[in-house]
């Protein structure tokens, strides 16, 4: 099993910044993609940003230029630096990691979620 522990959420004023972290541990053979999703009340969960093992990144249009995803492969950790936060960024943010526990077995794990609240 692979466990994810998230940290870094909180309450911030519009225009402020937060940094989320997600550390993966357990039976990890390799990690491929590491992603951040978010879900606002009454809304579907949406992909915010992703990063591959090679360092390629993608972002939702709504966060491009404001959010930066990065990873530390040695620590099996992914980060989400969020700047110029807006009230519409308010949501529970979930870490998602996809990889292998062995050469023949893959895994998909989710973090417990961390609340980000941006006040106007």
């Amino acid at each position: 099993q692979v466990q994810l522990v998230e940290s870094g959420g909180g309450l911030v004023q519009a225009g402020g910044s937060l940094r989320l972290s997600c550390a993966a541990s357990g039976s990890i053979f390799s990690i491929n993609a590491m992603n951040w999703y978010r879900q606002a009340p009454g809304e579907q969960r949406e992909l915010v940003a992703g990063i591959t093992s090679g360092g390629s990144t993608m972002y939702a249009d709504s966060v491009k230029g404001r959010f930066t995803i990065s990873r530390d492969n040695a620590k099996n950790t992914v980060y989400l630096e969020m700047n110029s936060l807006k009230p519409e960024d308010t949501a529970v943010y979930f870490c998602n990691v996809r990889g292998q526990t062995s050469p023949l077995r893959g895994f998909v794990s989710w973090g417990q979620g961390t609340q980000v609240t941006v006040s106007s």
Side-chain angles (χ1 to χ4, degrees):
Q1 281 190 335
V2 177
Q3 298 80 40
L4 305 182
V5 177
E6 302 173 12
S7 61
L11 173 64
V12 65
Q13 288 189 329
S17 299
L18 284 173
R19 188 190 195 212
L20 306 182
S21 299
C22 172
S25 63
S27 301
I28 298 172
F29 175 77
S30 65
I31 291 179
N32 301 324
M34 305 184 86
N35 307 299
W36 287 98
Y37 287 75
R38 68 185 180 187
Q39 187 167 20
E43 301 290 333
Q44 289 190 331
R45 191 172 295 189
E46 63 171 348
L47 178 61
V48 175
I51 185 167
T52 68
S53 57
S56 298
T57 59
M58 63 75 60
Y59 298 93
D61 287 343
S62 59
V63 306
K64 281 181 181 176
R66 301 188 297 120
F67 290 12
T68 301
I69 189 170
S70 61
R71 62 190 280 175
D72 184 332
N73 290 329
K75 296 181 179 180
N76 290 333
T77 299
V78 61
Y79 306 96
L80 186 66
E81 185 76 34
M82 304 184 293
N83 298 314
S84 302
L85 282 161
K86 305 175 181 180
E88 50 264 43
D89 294 319
T90 295
V92 178
Y93 284 69
F94 296 91
C95 175
N96 167 264
V97 175
R98 302 166 189 262
Q100 304 287 128
T101 56
S102 73
L104 298 179
R105 180 166 295 212
F107 74 86
V108 179
S109 291
W110 289 90
Q112 78 281 6
T114 185
Q115 178 69 46
V116 171
T117 302
V118 184
S119 63
S120 58

